[in-house]
Amino acid sequence: MSKLFVATYAVKGKVQDGSKLYVELLDNDQHWFDDRIDDLLGSAWTDNSGFFEISFDDSLYKDNWFEGKPELFLVIRDNLGKIIHKTGIQSPSSPDDTENITFDIAIPDNRSLADNNPYDSANTSRIAAFARIGDTINFTENIPNSTRLLMQTLNAWLLYTNETKWNLIGYDGPQVERYPWRHTHSHKLKWNNL
Amino acid sequence: MQNTIFGIEEFEKRAEPYKVIRNDIVRNVDVCVIGSGAAGAILAQKLSAAGKSVVLLERGGYYDGESMNQRESDMISLLWKNSGANFTSNLKIAIAQGSCLGGSTVINDAVCFRIPDTVIRQWNALGVHISKEEWDDANDEVSDRINVAKVTEEELNENAKKLREACSVTLVDGNPIIAHHTNERNCGPSWTDPELQSCVQCGFCHLGCHYDTKQSMLVTYIHDAVHSDVDFTAYCNCEVKKITHSNGIATGVEGSFVDNAGNEKYRIQVNAKVIIVSAGAIASSNLLQKSRIANKNIGEGLALHPAPFVMGHFQEKVYGNRGIPMSYTCHEFGVTNNVKTGGFLIESIFLPIFQLALAVPSFGVDHARLMAEYNNYALAGIMVRDEPVGRIIKTFGDNPQVLYELARDTLDDMARGMSILARMWFDIGADYVITSHGDIPEIRTVQDIPKLAKAIQNNPDGLRVGSAHPQGGNKIGEDPAKAVVNSDCRMFGFKNLYVCDASVFPTALGVNPQLTVMALAALTANKIVANWPSDVIISDSLGSVCDVSQPQYCLTATLGEMFAVTKHKEELFGKLENSQSNEIVPDENWRFDKDKLMIHNNLYWKGFYGRDTNIMTTGLRMFGGFFKRFRKLNSDSFSGVTKPFDVPVFAKSLAKQKTLAGYGTIIHLQYEDAPYNQAYDVLKMIDENTILGKAFLGQFGRGQLLFDFSMSRKYHADFMGEDDLTTLFYSDQYSHTPTKDEMVGRWEGSLVSDSIVSPRSQVFDFEYSGNEEYQMQYNFANLLRGYSEVSVNNDLFRFDDYTPFHDELRMIRDDFVVGKWVTDWSLLPASQFSIQELQNLVNSGASQSQIINSIYRIFNLRVPRLPQEIGLSFLNVENNPQKGSRIGLSYILKRMN
Ligand SMILES: Cc1cc2nc3c(=O)[nH]c(=O)nc-3n(C[C@H](O)[C@H](O)[C@H](O)COP(=O)(O)OP(=O)(O)OC[C@H]3O[C@@H](n4cnc5c(N)ncnc54)[C@H](O)[C@@H]3O)c2cc1C
């Protein structure tokens, strides 16, 4: 390719994070964030202040005549290579604007875990537990006993973890909300106010 | 300094500093403690306070007070071992144990008893050299930190008061009950809610303390260690699988971070100067058994404190669930009242509704009727000091199986205790009594009480019994022939391996054990510091965790991540070349390090995929094994060939060093012939024997990623292929024909194919039976069991089963053997089958099941079908000059005990 047609771009930026990070520059190429396609244009480690600079020439992304200007995004990895962040897309304002592509990246401190709670996985634990005991018990040693135990457990589980049943019996039940940390709640017991 | 608790669960918010693990971990520290319960937490904290760096590994998760929501459906699954589904093998006794950061102390009833004087004396005689003064000091020390204090009069709930009243009115054999009083408990100020100075009395102790007033290990010793100045790390969701050791030195701990379904996510290797097993009774014995520690006493002598209950029904509401569940005890018949053998305590206790529903032994309408009266019951349990008659054995799946039958004396104690308690409830006005015996769930009159004792005698299986205090299994003693640890809790035969938890109790304690476990841990911590093994050198083993130097152990995703940030070593490119020979020539292109069980193989670069257990990667690993071989072409390129082991394909390629945008310098491997020339690999040499690679489809630099892989010229015997095994098998330098004596013991086997060494597929036991007859017993994937006849002659260790196949073994090390399950063609009807026929079948592209079906037909095999995974790729065809052509399976055996 003649020099006339090759433009070299420089992408600069700063990652606001204390540690040394690895920055990969990718071309979007119609495959939004699909990192199975090898569209890596360049990579660099951040310096001690979080700065990095990556340059590339447009021969790398111009594999189709209609690809006008690059659609760039960054993948930020920690020192083990774990992806800790992907940025949004930026493009040069015009094909000639090869110097002013700057990313200022603040890595979100905590991924949004607002919907996570430990109880979601409790059911998985239970199923796995029942699968596991198969290896440690002799269910067939006393089939009537074993079956009775199983039926009683199911019966207890279905009926007595159920709030309607509690109300019928007059069982006080839990003294806090199911997701206590999501509500300001009192540490007083309901029956002390009766 | 603030230390951190790690786990794999992603939480919104935790009370302590908490981080989520996203990769394998290797730690080299002074001390590794396994289990964070009553013993483990104290050992970890005290050793940390003594200046030692400590890693604490806990199987369960980290749940803080805020997440303990008082719901049985949520909390039992999260805090209890095996979600509460934990039984003796005969399903007769349910065993409750905690499995979370803080162990059982998080879910216990907070009752604190000191070790009774009688027990101190009895244990002294059994080799526990701890004086009463030492116990007192340790109890004081621990009680101070966990705030042990007597339950006040205001804190006694109606349920406890009923027991107290009953104790003061009932006469037993005409005599009043003298020894009964309120309990001491470990409750105190909450560190998370400054307004709470003592127990809130919610009654949900078994579901963890929402208020952080129960002074469990989580909010005391672990909290202290997290906020200390010394390097302390707790890893949760981390199940220790094995302790490695050699020559009496425990070298490391191998663990897996497991999700709630028990699936491995990441791995950890901890190398430490001192290793302490505090996984609690049952689990500690199981771990030692899994770790190939040869002491036949491991698992022996388990006691359970089995406890049936009796409830009294009263006209007035008792509301037993309101208030402290366990605050009053009748000691009259127990060791605390100087009863020397057996005996029992009658303990007030109440349960949240689901647990009570489980305990009431009736069914259907009856059960519903009894449960409707929940608020009108007074409940107490008979906690029996049983004989340590239980055993823990390891199952085929490596899980602990608890063998325990209630002894006659224990049943007698139960019958007596339950009868007395039934009487007590009637004496204070109960209108009927509910028992935990299925044959007699209700007793309507005092006159009917004797029927209960009869029912227990006649049908002990009808008793619904619970245990919350498993003890023993690794007992302390003086004699290594009879015990597992010495009085310092140090494992016999080891310099730096300790077992310290309820499992070391030589007999049942007779009182609720937490304080004694804690005191023992405090004493043991001091002894470990005093006998610090300064001369033990911390191992640098990476175990089986992912590392760039051993990528066979990495997850696929990690291979990709390592590839991204690791530089290709350009200067090593010249060393890409493999041996000129096409065969293994020991000592030339192939070496074996017996000590480390490492294979150096320069016949080719052996390919590896990620260790993931998803179907895609497992399939690749099982059937997609390959090698690449390189020969020098000219100064800057190598010609190569890629050969999948199980398919007759040789894909030619050209390897050149190039610069690729974003990657820097890499090796570009371009396939030459169609259809493979649509693909290319990008390789990075990490060291002389390790390559990380990515396979792409498409145009170089713009391809579609197919998969990540690695290649090695140096790999552990756990990754050997058929050529490696055959080389070891026939080499007098590396292996020998074992004698019968050398093989005595239990061995686990894994099948070897070129692509993969399978997970455990068989267990072999070699032993001399009672009449000195040598026996070999096999258990193949828990499906096929039987005996084989062993013969050792003509330098051949051979055993025959009832198929036309037989086994031959060669020993590499006293703990590592290679074997072949083969047939001599000469023994088969000649007309029926030949190697050629098999090869034709394979080459014709017949499906795996077709080939296997043919083998069954041709060989006239009438044995049950082998499991699925033992498919075609495990079929080993051998053309050996000495033995002729043989077909069969190859395997490795590792000693289990
Ligand atoms: C419901 C209940 C109520 C109780 N009430 C009382 C009471 O009121 N008073 C009293 O004195 N005692 C009580 N106990 C008993 C007391 O809590 C235990 O005896 C004591 O905690 C035992 O301490 P430990 O260190 O041996 O084991 P635990 O406290 O059980 O701790 C062992 C820990 O090791 C972990 N572990 C196991 N295997 C592995 C592995 N492979 N890798 C990593 N970690 C592992 C477990 O998950 C667990 O967290 C109660 C127990 C229960 C279950």
Side-chain angles (χ1 to χ4, degrees), chain B residues 34-39 57-60 96-100 103-105 107-111 206 238-240 278-280 283 468-469 501-502 512-514 517:
Chain B
I34 302 158
S36 66
L57 304 175
E58 169 52 52
R59 166 71 177 78
Q97 284 181 287
S99 188
C100 54
S104 302
T105 70
I107 60 163
N108 75 17
D109 291 285
V111 175
H206 288 182
C238 176
E239 180 173 344
V240 173
S278 298
H469 307 159
D501 54 21
N512 306 42
Q514 69 161 339
V517 176

mmCIF file of all heavy atoms in Angstrom, chain B residues 34-39 57-60 96-100 103-105 107-111 206 238-240 278-280 283 468-469 501-502 512-514 517, ligand 1:
data_model
loop_
_atom_site.group_PDB
_atom_site.id
_atom_site.type_symbol
_atom_site.label_atom_id
_atom_site.label_comp_id
_atom_site.label_asym_id
_atom_site.label_seq_id
_atom_site.Cartn_x
_atom_site.Cartn_y
_atom_site.Cartn_z
ATOM 1 N N ILE B 34 -7.161 -25.253 58.460
ATOM 2 C CA ILE B 34 -8.268 -25.752 57.637
ATOM 3 C C ILE B 34 -9.521 -25.850 58.511
ATOM 4 O O ILE B 34 -9.587 -26.674 59.424
ATOM 5 C CB ILE B 34 -7.909 -27.125 57.050
ATOM 6 C CG1 ILE B 34 -6.632 -27.013 56.223
ATOM 7 C CG2 ILE B 34 -9.075 -27.681 56.229
ATOM 8 C CD1 ILE B 34 -5.915 -28.328 56.039
ATOM 9 N N GLY B 35 -10.480 -25.011 58.242
ATOM 10 C CA GLY B 35 -11.721 -25.005 59.030
ATOM 11 C C GLY B 35 -11.704 -23.825 59.989
ATOM 12 O O GLY B 35 -10.705 -23.585 60.680
ATOM 13 N N SER B 36 -12.819 -23.072 60.016
ATOM 14 C CA SER B 36 -12.824 -21.814 60.783
ATOM 15 C C SER B 36 -13.780 -21.874 61.962
ATOM 16 O O SER B 36 -14.330 -20.864 62.372
ATOM 17 C CB SER B 36 -13.222 -20.673 59.863
ATOM 18 O OG SER B 36 -14.568 -20.860 59.451
ATOM 19 N N GLY B 37 -14.029 -23.087 62.484
ATOM 20 C CA GLY B 37 -14.962 -23.226 63.594
ATOM 21 C C GLY B 37 -14.329 -22.946 64.943
ATOM 22 O O GLY B 37 -13.355 -22.186 65.057
ATOM 23 N N ALA B 38 -14.898 -23.575 65.957
ATOM 24 C CA ALA B 38 -14.477 -23.329 67.331
ATOM 25 C C ALA B 38 -12.963 -23.456 67.485
ATOM 26 O O ALA B 38 -12.316 -22.642 68.152
ATOM 27 C CB ALA B 38 -15.190 -24.311 68.257
ATOM 28 N N ALA B 39 -12.366 -24.457 66.867
ATOM 29 C CA ALA B 39 -10.923 -24.642 67.011
ATOM 30 C C ALA B 39 -10.149 -23.800 66.007
ATOM 31 O O ALA B 39 -9.236 -23.047 66.377
ATOM 32 C CB ALA B 39 -10.573 -26.118 66.839
ATOM 33 N N LEU B 57 -8.640 -21.509 55.745
ATOM 34 C CA LEU B 57 -9.454 -21.999 54.626
ATOM 35 C C LEU B 57 -10.773 -22.546 55.147
ATOM 36 O O LEU B 57 -10.783 -23.385 56.052
ATOM 37 C CB LEU B 57 -8.700 -23.109 53.878
ATOM 38 C CG LEU B 57 -7.319 -22.738 53.354
ATOM 39 C CD1 LEU B 57 -6.638 -23.953 52.737
ATOM 40 C CD2 LEU B 57 -7.416 -21.615 52.331
ATOM 41 N N GLU B 58 -11.857 -22.065 54.596
ATOM 42 C CA GLU B 58 -13.176 -22.482 55.092
ATOM 43 C C GLU B 58 -14.059 -22.935 53.936
ATOM 44 O O GLU B 58 -14.227 -22.238 52.956
ATOM 45 C CB GLU B 58 -13.825 -21.317 55.851
ATOM 46 C CG GLU B 58 -15.290 -21.513 56.197
ATOM 47 C CD GLU B 58 -15.617 -22.823 56.922
ATOM 48 O OE1 GLU B 58 -14.960 -23.112 57.943
ATOM 49 O OE2 GLU B 58 -16.518 -23.563 56.458
ATOM 50 N N ARG B 59 -14.633 -24.126 54.111
ATOM 51 C CA ARG B 59 -15.489 -24.720 53.066
ATOM 52 C C ARG B 59 -16.759 -23.899 52.816
ATOM 53 O O ARG B 59 -17.226 -23.765 51.693
ATOM 54 C CB ARG B 59 -15.865 -26.139 53.514
ATOM 55 C CG ARG B 59 -16.992 -26.803 52.767
ATOM 56 C CD ARG B 59 -16.559 -27.171 51.373
ATOM 57 N NE ARG B 59 -17.584 -27.883 50.628
ATOM 58 C CZ ARG B 59 -18.643 -27.320 50.044
ATOM 59 N NH1 ARG B 59 -18.857 -26.020 50.158
ATOM 60 N NH2 ARG B 59 -19.496 -28.043 49.364
ATOM 61 N N GLY B 60 -17.316 -23.360 53.881
ATOM 62 C CA GLY B 60 -18.581 -22.625 53.742
ATOM 63 C C GLY B 60 -18.356 -21.181 53.328
ATOM 64 O O GLY B 60 -17.232 -20.728 53.125
ATOM 65 N N ALA B 96 -26.124 -32.476 62.841
ATOM 66 C CA ALA B 96 -26.051 -31.052 62.489
ATOM 67 C C ALA B 96 -24.636 -30.552 62.717
ATOM 68 O O ALA B 96 -24.038 -30.793 63.767
ATOM 69 C CB ALA B 96 -27.029 -30.259 63.337
ATOM 70 N N GLN B 97 -24.094 -29.883 61.722
ATOM 71 C CA GLN B 97 -22.798 -29.217 61.857
ATOM 72 C C GLN B 97 -22.850 -27.947 61.016
ATOM 73 O O GLN B 97 -23.541 -27.917 59.998
ATOM 74 C CB GLN B 97 -21.662 -30.112 61.342
ATOM 75 C CG GLN B 97 -21.280 -31.232 62.296
ATOM 76 C CD GLN B 97 -20.125 -32.077 61.750
ATOM 77 O OE1 GLN B 97 -20.323 -32.845 60.824
ATOM 78 N NE2 GLN B 97 -18.943 -31.927 62.332
ATOM 79 N N GLY B 98 -22.097 -26.962 61.429
ATOM 80 C CA GLY B 98 -22.067 -25.723 60.663
ATOM 81 C C GLY B 98 -21.061 -25.821 59.539
ATOM 82 O O GLY B 98 -20.083 -26.558 59.629
ATOM 83 N N SER B 99 -21.332 -25.090 58.460
ATOM 84 C CA SER B 99 -20.340 -24.988 57.398
ATOM 85 C C SER B 99 -20.417 -23.590 56.827
ATOM 86 O O SER B 99 -21.134 -23.312 55.878
ATOM 87 C CB SER B 99 -20.606 -26.037 56.320
ATOM 88 O OG SER B 99 -19.541 -26.028 55.403
ATOM 89 N N CYS B 100 -19.705 -22.700 57.468
ATOM 90 C CA CYS B 100 -19.696 -21.297 57.071
ATOM 91 C C CYS B 100 -18.529 -20.671 57.822
ATOM 92 O O CYS B 100 -17.938 -21.331 58.677
ATOM 93 C CB CYS B 100 -21.003 -20.616 57.482
ATOM 94 S SG CYS B 100 -21.385 -20.796 59.225
ATOM 95 N N GLY B 103 -17.829 -21.653 61.399
ATOM 96 C CA GLY B 103 -18.174 -23.054 61.653
ATOM 97 C C GLY B 103 -19.442 -23.207 62.474
ATOM 98 O O GLY B 103 -20.356 -22.372 62.428
ATOM 99 N N SER B 104 -19.484 -24.284 63.247
ATOM 100 C CA SER B 104 -20.707 -24.573 64.010
ATOM 101 C C SER B 104 -20.989 -23.507 65.059
ATOM 102 O O SER B 104 -22.117 -23.395 65.551
ATOM 103 C CB SER B 104 -20.590 -25.932 64.699
ATOM 104 O OG SER B 104 -20.369 -26.943 63.758
ATOM 105 N N THR B 105 -19.993 -22.699 65.412
ATOM 106 C CA THR B 105 -20.250 -21.692 66.456
ATOM 107 C C THR B 105 -21.237 -20.633 65.975
ATOM 108 O O THR B 105 -21.827 -19.922 66.774
ATOM 109 C CB THR B 105 -18.953 -20.991 66.927
ATOM 110 O OG1 THR B 105 -18.464 -20.142 65.884
ATOM 111 C CG2 THR B 105 -17.889 -21.993 67.317
ATOM 112 N N ILE B 107 -23.980 -21.348 64.291
ATOM 113 C CA ILE B 107 -25.359 -21.867 64.364
ATOM 114 C C ILE B 107 -25.643 -22.566 65.683
ATOM 115 O O ILE B 107 -26.665 -23.207 65.829
ATOM 116 C CB ILE B 107 -25.643 -22.843 63.205
ATOM 117 C CG1 ILE B 107 -24.694 -24.056 63.241
ATOM 118 C CG2 ILE B 107 -25.563 -22.153 61.866
ATOM 119 C CD1 ILE B 107 -25.176 -25.225 62.399
ATOM 120 N N ASN B 108 -24.719 -22.477 66.626
ATOM 121 C CA ASN B 108 -24.979 -23.236 67.852
ATOM 122 C C ASN B 108 -25.807 -22.424 68.850
ATOM 123 O O ASN B 108 -26.154 -21.270 68.607
ATOM 124 C CB ASN B 108 -23.692 -23.814 68.444
ATOM 125 C CG ASN B 108 -22.820 -22.788 69.126
ATOM 126 O OD1 ASN B 108 -23.258 -21.697 69.459
ATOM 127 N ND2 ASN B 108 -21.560 -23.153 69.328
ATOM 128 N N ASP B 109 -26.122 -23.061 69.964
ATOM 129 C CA ASP B 109 -27.019 -22.433 70.928
ATOM 130 C C ASP B 109 -26.283 -21.611 71.969
ATOM 131 O O ASP B 109 -26.899 -21.147 72.936
ATOM 132 C CB ASP B 109 -27.869 -23.505 71.611
ATOM 133 C CG ASP B 109 -28.857 -24.119 70.638
ATOM 134 O OD1 ASP B 109 -29.853 -23.450 70.317
ATOM 135 O OD2 ASP B 109 -28.620 -25.248 70.171
ATOM 136 N N ALA B 110 -24.982 -21.477 71.797
ATOM 137 C CA ALA B 110 -24.185 -20.576 72.635
ATOM 138 C C ALA B 110 -24.055 -21.038 74.086
ATOM 139 O O ALA B 110 -23.644 -20.262 74.948
ATOM 140 C CB ALA B 110 -24.737 -19.156 72.577
ATOM 141 N N VAL B 111 -24.394 -22.283 74.341
ATOM 142 C CA VAL B 111 -24.256 -22.772 75.716
ATOM 143 C C VAL B 111 -22.782 -23.108 75.972
ATOM 144 O O VAL B 111 -22.126 -23.694 75.131
ATOM 145 C CB VAL B 111 -25.122 -24.032 75.921
ATOM 146 C CG1 VAL B 111 -24.889 -24.625 77.294
ATOM 147 C CG2 VAL B 111 -26.581 -23.673 75.735
ATOM 148 N N HIS B 206 -30.008 -21.208 65.805
ATOM 149 C CA HIS B 206 -29.578 -22.201 64.802
ATOM 150 C C HIS B 206 -29.458 -21.626 63.400
ATOM 151 O O HIS B 206 -28.983 -22.302 62.495
ATOM 152 C CB HIS B 206 -30.582 -23.366 64.753
ATOM 153 C CG HIS B 206 -30.515 -24.245 65.947
ATOM 154 N ND1 HIS B 206 -31.295 -25.358 66.094
ATOM 155 C CD2 HIS B 206 -29.748 -24.189 67.050
ATOM 156 C CE1 HIS B 206 -31.026 -25.950 67.240
ATOM 157 N NE2 HIS B 206 -30.090 -25.249 67.844
ATOM 158 N N CYS B 238 -14.011 -22.469 50.199
ATOM 159 C CA CYS B 238 -12.783 -23.157 49.813
ATOM 160 C C CYS B 238 -12.720 -24.528 50.494
ATOM 161 O O CYS B 238 -12.534 -24.619 51.703
ATOM 162 C CB CYS B 238 -11.591 -22.313 50.236
ATOM 163 S SG CYS B 238 -10.048 -23.143 49.906
ATOM 164 N N GLU B 239 -12.898 -25.550 49.708
ATOM 165 C CA GLU B 239 -12.896 -26.898 50.261
ATOM 166 C C GLU B 239 -11.512 -27.521 50.093
ATOM 167 O O GLU B 239 -11.031 -27.679 48.974
ATOM 168 C CB GLU B 239 -13.928 -27.756 49.523
ATOM 169 C CG GLU B 239 -13.975 -29.166 50.051
ATOM 170 C CD GLU B 239 -15.107 -29.977 49.442
ATOM 171 O OE1 GLU B 239 -16.023 -29.389 48.859
ATOM 172 O OE2 GLU B 239 -15.050 -31.207 49.555
ATOM 173 N N VAL B 240 -10.898 -27.837 51.211
ATOM 174 C CA VAL B 240 -9.587 -28.476 51.126
ATOM 175 C C VAL B 240 -9.778 -29.922 50.709
ATOM 176 O O VAL B 240 -10.616 -30.640 51.254
ATOM 177 C CB VAL B 240 -8.844 -28.377 52.474
ATOM 178 C CG1 VAL B 240 -7.560 -29.183 52.430
ATOM 179 C CG2 VAL B 240 -8.563 -26.927 52.789
ATOM 180 N N SER B 278 -8.600 -28.412 61.236
ATOM 181 C CA SER B 278 -9.661 -28.099 62.209
ATOM 182 C C SER B 278 -10.995 -28.099 61.490
ATOM 183 O O SER B 278 -11.814 -27.199 61.661
ATOM 184 C CB SER B 278 -9.418 -26.724 62.843
ATOM 185 O OG SER B 278 -8.209 -26.694 63.546
ATOM 186 N N ALA B 279 -11.203 -29.105 60.669
ATOM 187 C CA ALA B 279 -12.410 -29.153 59.834
ATOM 188 C C ALA B 279 -13.602 -29.716 60.602
ATOM 189 O O ALA B 279 -14.666 -29.912 60.026
ATOM 190 C CB ALA B 279 -12.136 -29.952 58.576
ATOM 191 N N GLY B 280 -13.409 -30.011 61.892
ATOM 192 C CA GLY B 280 -14.504 -30.553 62.697
ATOM 193 C C GLY B 280 -14.539 -32.073 62.594
ATOM 194 O O GLY B 280 -13.969 -32.661 61.679
ATOM 195 N N ALA B 283 -15.373 -34.427 59.084
ATOM 196 C CA ALA B 283 -14.650 -33.838 57.946
ATOM 197 C C ALA B 283 -13.138 -33.934 58.132
ATOM 198 O O ALA B 283 -12.403 -34.180 57.176
ATOM 199 C CB ALA B 283 -15.062 -32.387 57.755
ATOM 200 N N ALA B 468 -25.793 -32.947 67.465
ATOM 201 C CA ALA B 468 -25.157 -31.687 67.080
ATOM 202 C C ALA B 468 -23.715 -31.667 67.575
ATOM 203 O O ALA B 468 -23.034 -30.671 67.445
ATOM 204 C CB ALA B 468 -25.933 -30.507 67.655
ATOM 205 N N HIS B 469 -23.276 -32.781 68.137
ATOM 206 C CA HIS B 469 -21.951 -32.799 68.747
ATOM 207 C C HIS B 469 -21.112 -33.980 68.308
ATOM 208 O O HIS B 469 -20.652 -34.752 69.149
ATOM 209 C CB HIS B 469 -22.060 -32.854 70.278
ATOM 210 C CG HIS B 469 -22.919 -31.803 70.891
ATOM 211 N ND1 HIS B 469 -23.461 -31.935 72.148
ATOM 212 C CD2 HIS B 469 -23.325 -30.594 70.437
ATOM 213 C CE1 HIS B 469 -24.168 -30.859 72.439
ATOM 214 N NE2 HIS B 469 -24.116 -30.036 71.418
ATOM 215 N N ASP B 501 -9.531 -30.114 66.875
ATOM 216 C CA ASP B 501 -10.960 -29.783 66.852
ATOM 217 C C ASP B 501 -11.667 -30.875 67.645
ATOM 218 O O ASP B 501 -11.010 -31.675 68.329
ATOM 219 C CB ASP B 501 -11.497 -29.683 65.409
ATOM 220 C CG ASP B 501 -11.211 -30.932 64.581
ATOM 221 O OD1 ASP B 501 -10.975 -31.994 65.181
ATOM 222 O OD2 ASP B 501 -11.238 -30.851 63.342
ATOM 223 N N ALA B 502 -12.983 -30.954 67.526
ATOM 224 C CA ALA B 502 -13.715 -31.950 68.308
ATOM 225 C C ALA B 502 -13.331 -33.375 67.910
ATOM 226 O O ALA B 502 -13.628 -34.325 68.641
ATOM 227 C CB ALA B 502 -15.217 -31.731 68.138
ATOM 228 N N ASN B 512 -21.998 -30.105 76.343
ATOM 229 C CA ASN B 512 -21.893 -29.457 75.035
ATOM 230 C C ASN B 512 -20.452 -29.001 74.846
ATOM 231 O O ASN B 512 -19.855 -28.392 75.728
ATOM 232 C CB ASN B 512 -22.867 -28.279 74.966
ATOM 233 C CG ASN B 512 -24.279 -28.722 75.304
ATOM 234 O OD1 ASN B 512 -24.472 -29.516 76.238
ATOM 235 N ND2 ASN B 512 -25.242 -28.263 74.564
ATOM 236 N N PRO B 513 -19.879 -29.289 73.688
ATOM 237 C CA PRO B 513 -18.417 -29.272 73.592
ATOM 238 C C PRO B 513 -17.726 -27.971 73.193
ATOM 239 O O PRO B 513 -16.498 -27.897 73.245
ATOM 240 C CB PRO B 513 -18.137 -30.331 72.517
ATOM 241 C CG PRO B 513 -19.378 -30.473 71.738
ATOM 242 C CD PRO B 513 -20.511 -29.965 72.552
ATOM 243 N N GLN B 514 -18.474 -26.932 72.783
ATOM 244 C CA GLN B 514 -17.744 -25.837 72.139
ATOM 245 C C GLN B 514 -16.637 -25.232 73.002
ATOM 246 O O GLN B 514 -15.532 -24.983 72.513
ATOM 247 C CB GLN B 514 -18.691 -24.756 71.621
ATOM 248 C CG GLN B 514 -19.401 -23.937 72.681
ATOM 249 C CD GLN B 514 -19.941 -22.622 72.095
ATOM 250 O OE1 GLN B 514 -19.474 -22.157 71.069
ATOM 251 N NE2 GLN B 514 -20.912 -22.023 72.766
ATOM 252 N N VAL B 517 -13.588 -27.413 73.030
ATOM 253 C CA VAL B 517 -12.874 -27.345 71.742
ATOM 254 C C VAL B 517 -12.049 -26.062 71.702
ATOM 255 O O VAL B 517 -10.881 -26.056 71.318
ATOM 256 C CB VAL B 517 -13.867 -27.383 70.556
ATOM 257 C CG1 VAL B 517 -13.133 -27.222 69.234
ATOM 258 C CG2 VAL B 517 -14.668 -28.676 70.557
HETATM 259 C C1 LIG C 1 -27.122 -26.720 65.864
HETATM 260 C C2 LIG C 1 -25.946 -26.824 66.811
HETATM 261 C C3 LIG C 1 -26.060 -26.361 68.098
HETATM 262 C C4 LIG C 1 -25.004 -26.488 68.983
HETATM 263 N N1 LIG C 1 -25.085 -25.943 70.228
HETATM 264 C C5 LIG C 1 -24.018 -25.959 71.045
HETATM 265 C C6 LIG C 1 -24.039 -25.306 72.284
HETATM 266 O O1 LIG C 1 -25.007 -24.642 72.608
HETATM 267 N N2 LIG C 1 -22.954 -25.397 73.068
HETATM 268 C C7 LIG C 1 -21.858 -26.099 72.706
HETATM 269 O O2 LIG C 1 -20.928 -26.168 73.478
HETATM 270 N N3 LIG C 1 -21.787 -26.694 71.533
HETATM 271 C C8 LIG C 1 -22.830 -26.621 70.673
HETATM 272 N N4 LIG C 1 -22.731 -27.180 69.446
HETATM 273 C C9 LIG C 1 -21.504 -27.880 69.082
HETATM 274 C C10 LIG C 1 -20.326 -26.976 68.817
HETATM 275 O O3 LIG C 1 -20.705 -25.871 68.069
HETATM 276 C C11 LIG C 1 -19.261 -27.791 68.108
HETATM 277 O O4 LIG C 1 -18.944 -28.889 68.914
HETATM 278 C C12 LIG C 1 -17.986 -27.028 67.865
HETATM 279 O O5 LIG C 1 -18.238 -25.874 67.118
HETATM 280 C C13 LIG C 1 -17.009 -27.923 67.140
HETATM 281 O O6 LIG C 1 -15.888 -27.185 66.759
HETATM 282 P P1 LIG C 1 -14.917 -27.680 65.627
HETATM 283 O O7 LIG C 1 -13.862 -26.665 65.501
HETATM 284 O O8 LIG C 1 -14.544 -29.063 65.906
HETATM 285 O O9 LIG C 1 -15.791 -27.753 64.290
HETATM 286 P P2 LIG C 1 -16.778 -26.704 63.623
HETATM 287 O O10 LIG C 1 -17.081 -25.589 64.530
HETATM 288 O O11 LIG C 1 -17.909 -27.492 63.115
HETATM 289 O O12 LIG C 1 -15.936 -26.112 62.412
HETATM 290 C C14 LIG C 1 -15.436 -26.885 61.379
HETATM 291 C C15 LIG C 1 -15.357 -26.034 60.127
HETATM 292 O O13 LIG C 1 -14.520 -26.696 59.185
HETATM 293 C C16 LIG C 1 -15.058 -26.517 57.904
HETATM 294 N N5 LIG C 1 -14.592 -27.582 57.022
HETATM 295 C C17 LIG C 1 -14.953 -28.875 57.023
HETATM 296 N N6 LIG C 1 -14.316 -29.539 56.052
HETATM 297 C C18 LIG C 1 -13.536 -28.645 55.417
HETATM 298 C C19 LIG C 1 -12.646 -28.733 54.314
HETATM 299 N N7 LIG C 1 -12.427 -29.884 53.701
HETATM 300 N N8 LIG C 1 -12.041 -27.616 53.905
HETATM 301 C C20 LIG C 1 -12.253 -26.433 54.525
HETATM 302 N N9 LIG C 1 -13.080 -26.295 55.578
HETATM 303 C C21 LIG C 1 -13.708 -27.396 56.011
HETATM 304 C C22 LIG C 1 -16.546 -26.584 58.137
HETATM 305 O O14 LIG C 1 -17.238 -25.983 57.042
HETATM 306 C C23 LIG C 1 -16.697 -25.851 59.446
HETATM 307 O O15 LIG C 1 -16.955 -24.490 59.236
HETATM 308 C C24 LIG C 1 -23.790 -27.075 68.542
HETATM 309 C C25 LIG C 1 -23.674 -27.526 67.252
HETATM 310 C C26 LIG C 1 -24.724 -27.390 66.366
HETATM 311 C C27 LIG C 1 -24.562 -27.865 64.970
#
